[in-house]
Every structure is written in structure tokens, then in C-alpha cells.
Amino acid sequence: MSIFSAPAFDSHELVTFGRDEATGLRAIIAVHSTTLGPAVGGCRMFPYVSEDDALHDVLRLSRGMTYKSALAGLPFGGGKSVIIGDSRKDKTPELIRAMGDFVHSQGGRYVAAEDSGTGVADIRLMAERTPHVSGMDDNEFGGDPSPSTAWGVFISIRAAVRHRLGQSDTRGVRVALQGLGHVGYYLAKFLVADGAEVVAADVNQANIDRAVADHGIHVVDPGSILSEEADVFAPCAMGAVLNVQSIEQLRAGIVAGAANNQLATEQDGARLMDRGILYCPDFLINAGGIIDVHHQRVGSTEAKKREHVNHIEHTLSQVLTRADESHRETNLIAETLAEDILHSARSKPLAA
Ligand code: NAD
């Protein structure tokens, strides 16, 4: 395993490997940047096939967090952690507490939040060992930031529909939704309430049943959701879903979803553009969760939090307009915008 020459290595400030024999913990923390503040990012638990896969994931995810927080106007840097293991079989309270010790060893440079395979209960266990955690407060949703993520994605879909189809709401718009988990469930709810037609797929029957019972959506086979005839494809399951093969299958003119790292490679942004598909960059439109975490930390009102999440729509509109004007990929425009924010923070003189 190499680090500095790993394809996803991008001048990360720190990459730390954690091992605890007693609990079986094997984890990696990647801090991409602390330019704007402590590197806040989720702790993912996943049964990676290899340590290289885990490293690749944590490097890409942490870089995405830097861009996400910068574009969202948050005082956070970019970081992420991964635990190698199956959250349904390997997760024990002691393993999660050991992860808390590992997070603590970073001295506050990295702050852990929930992610796929971890939840608010795990963050509370880590908090027994470290104050450097976020997203565990009790609120209307029990500290879960997913409804805010879903809201940010929903208003982004609305903005993309306005940009591409010229209508102000999503009434009659057909959305193919991949994944009915924490985010997908709420996204379906917001879309249906706005008049959209939602067709969804998931590999988890309980999640399908819950969404069908609560929102009355249509369900299709997971294998056919990509090629579903729709106006919008909303990936809310896993990363790298947009690749050389899948982009050919897409029949929707807009892609806007919550999943992190949707583009398998940088070139996939160009592939989407070549096919005339409007891609809403994931790290821009799925920032609602991290914005929620920030407002939990500072103890804001729900109204203030919502106002901040709503700003995503403005930033996205700016990105879509610039992309049209310059005939460049939306993901590159959004990355440039984030780099500009980081650059001006770096060049600011230190306060006396
Ligand atoms: P989740 O694990 O709760 O839900 C994912 C859902 O996708 C599950 O229901 C799962 O069964 C389903 N799924 C898995 N493979 C599938 C497949 N092949 N086809 C269809 N469905 C499949 O996760 P989540 O919290 O809802 O997050 C969804 C995505 O959004 C993840 O990529 C996550 O990293 C990203 N994200 C989440 C948040 C948040 O606030 N939760 C914030 C930013 C980004």
C-alpha cells in the first residue's frame, strides 16, 4: 500500500491508521485540510474488500468534505474516517469506544460524525472517550442530520428543474430515486409533497415497505433504476454510481442525489456533459447534513439552520450558470469555486 502516490492522495495533511487488538478495530482517519477549521466528517463502517479500497475511500471522501464545507460557508476543514468491518456483524460497543480513543488521539484536528454504517448511538459511545464528535444532540429528528441533507437535495432538484425545464416546482416531474435509507426516505417525502412522481429502488425490503407505506411511491427493481425513464436520477445509495457503463444507460436529463463521490472518475463529469446530462455536484448539494451538524454544535434555531441549508440552492444556481457560460463541467466549476474560497482563506493575514 502506498500513500503519497495513491491515486486519491491530494496533499492530505494527515493520514493515520488505527488498530486495537482487543476489539478488532482497524480504522483510518484522513484529514485533507484544516484551512477553514477542524476537519469535521463522518465515520463510515464498511466491509472493504481490501485495505487499499478503504484507503482510497477515506482519501476521496475527506477531500470531498473540504470542498463541501468550503462551499457551504462552514468553519470546517475536510476529514473522514473509515472502520473496516461489517456494521451488522462486527460492530460492538467496545469497538466503537476504541474508535472514540482513536479520534481523540488526533487532538481535535478531526471531529467525527455519523455516516453509512454508524449512527447517532455510535457517536454517543465515542463521546464517552472524546469530546471531538458531532451530530448527537436531541432535536426533532434525534440528532440525525439526514432530513437536512434530503432537504438540500430536494431544493437542488427544484433548482435544476427550473434551470433545465423552466418550471418553478417539481409538479409532474418524474424522479428515479436510488436508495430509500436515511436520506432517500425524506427526499421521497419532500418530492411527493411537492407533486413529483417518485419511482424508487432499494435492496432493503424494510426500507422499501416504510417508504411505500408513508409516501405512496412506485417501486422498481434495483437493476433497472438507472435506465428508468425519468426527468431526474437521484442517487442516494452508494458512491461511484456514475461511471463509463452506467452513464450510457441513464435516461434522465438531470442527476441530483445525496450519495458521496458519485463520479467514479473525474472524466465521468465530462461524459455526463457530453451526453447533455445536467449533473448537480454531490459535494455541493448534499451539504445539508454537515450544515445541520454545525448548527447542532453552536445551538442554533431550526429556522437559522433551514435558512443556511436553503443557501445551497443559490450556490448551485451560480454553478449551473457559470457552467453554461464557460461550457465546462459543473463538478469542475464547483471545485474551482471551493478552491477560490480556500485560497482566499490561506492568503488572509493572521489576526494580530
Ligand atoms: P443509508 O445507508 O441509510 O441508505 C442507503 C440506502 O441505499 C439503504 O436503504 C440501502 O439498502 C440502499 N442501497 C444500497 N445499495 C443499493 C443498490 N444497489 N440499489 C438500491 N439501493 C441500494 O445511507 P444514507 O444516510 O441515506 O445516505 C445515502 C448516501 O448519501 C450515502 O452515499 C451517504 O454517504 C450520502 N450522504 C448522506 C448524508 C446523511 O446526512 N445521511 C449526508 C451526505 C451524504
Side-chain angles (χ1 to χ4, degrees):
M1 180 191 292
S2 53
I3 308 291
F4 298 131
S5 57
F9 184 77
D10 177 45
S11 301
H12 286 69
E13 288 177 15
L14 198 70
V15 182
T16 319
F17 295 78
R19 169 80 177 133
D20 180 64
E21 290 289 340
T23 61
L25 177 76
R26 284 186 303 149
I28 312 174
I29 294 176
V31 172
H32 176 250
S33 166
T34 53
T35 300
L36 298 175
V40 181
C43 172
R44 174 169 295 190
M45 184 160 185
F46 188 79
Y48 293 100
V49 177
S50 70
E51 289 168 17
D52 275 340
D53 283 358
L55 178 67
H56 185 75
D57 209 25
V58 79
L59 290 176
R60 280 198 81 195
L61 288 165
S62 56
R63 178 176 182 259
M65 288 307 298
T66 301
Y67 289 156
K68 187 183 304 199
S69 289
L71 288 178
L74 292 168
F76 295 157
K80 203 87 180 182
S81 59
V82 294
I83 300 174
I84 302 171
D86 186 333
S87 62
R88 282 166 301 187
K89 292 193 295 217
D90 306 327
K91 190 158 76 180
T92 62
E94 273 317 306
L95 181 134
I96 295 296
R97 287 190 186 101
M99 185 65 197
D101 290 334
F102 183 32
V103 170
H104 195 63
S105 73
Q106 307 294 301
R109 205 180 272 124
Y110 169 66
V111 177
E114 67 170 292
D115 201 82
S116 303
T118 64
V120 175
D122 300 310
I123 298 302
R124 289 194 175 125
L125 283 173
M126 286 186 213
E128 292 176 14
R129 302 296 178 84
T130 180
H132 306 306
V133 291
S134 239
M136 59 170 196
D137 298 354
D138 283 320
N139 64 18
E140 189 191 343
F141 301 108
D144 178 7
S146 309
S148 292
T149 305
W151 181 257
V153 173
F154 165 66
I155 58 175
S156 298
I157 290 177
R158 224 174 35 189
V161 164
R162 191 169 56 239
H163 189 86
R164 183 47 75 90
L165 307 176
Q167 73 176 67
S168 61
D169 55 24
T170 59
R171 200 169 313 165
V173 169
R174 190 167 161 86
V175 181
L177 172 54
Q178 182 183 48
L180 289 164
H182 288 94
V183 179
Y185 173 85
Y186 286 102
L187 180 58
K189 174 181 170 174
F190 299 142
L191 284 166
V192 169
D194 199 46
E197 188 191 338
V198 177
V199 51
D202 202 296
V203 291
N204 178 318
Q205 193 56 43
N207 287 357
I208 294 175
D209 293 345
R210 185 173 77 128
V212 169
D214 294 355
H215 314 316
I217 55 170
H218 307 285
V219 175
V220 295
D221 191 74
S224 63
I225 192 73
L226 263 166
S227 54
E228 188 65 26
E229 190 76 61
D231 300 296
V232 181
F233 171 59
C236 294
M238 64 280 179
V241 68
L242 303 169
N243 52 49
V244 66
Q245 291 88 19
S246 66
I247 289 170
E248 281 307 307
Q249 293 174 43
L250 281 177
R251 290 163 85 184
I254 296 169
V255 174
N260 284 310
N261 290 342
Q262 289 166 30
L263 301 176
T265 66
E266 284 268 306
Q267 296 76 43
D268 293 310
R271 284 194 183 98
L272 287 164
M273 194 170 85
D274 291 347
R275 280 214 53 209
I277 296 170
L278 183 64
Y279 171 61
C280 299
D282 48 15
F283 55 87
L284 193 175
I285 73 168
N286 71 10
I290 188 85
I291 293 172
D292 190 307
V293 164
H294 167 67
H295 286 277
Q296 286 188 40
R297 277 163 74 86
V298 298
S300 305
T301 59
E302 281 293 313
K304 203 153 180 218
K305 182 174 82 182
R306 180 57 71 94
E307 189 188 324
H308 195 158
V309 177
N310 283 345
H311 198 71
I312 292 174
E313 188 171 351
H314 170 74
T315 313
L316 176 65
S317 297
Q318 210 182 331
V319 166
L320 299 186
T321 304
R322 281 197 200 179
D324 280 354
E325 287 166 358
S326 62
H327 305 288
R328 286 181 68 215
E329 298 92 309
T330 50
N331 52 307
L332 296 186
I333 298 287
E335 282 181 19
T336 306
L337 204 57
E339 291 288 358
D340 289 348
I341 293 166
L342 291 164
H343 181 74
S344 68
R346 278 189 210 107
S347 48
K348 246 187 214 151
L350 291 174

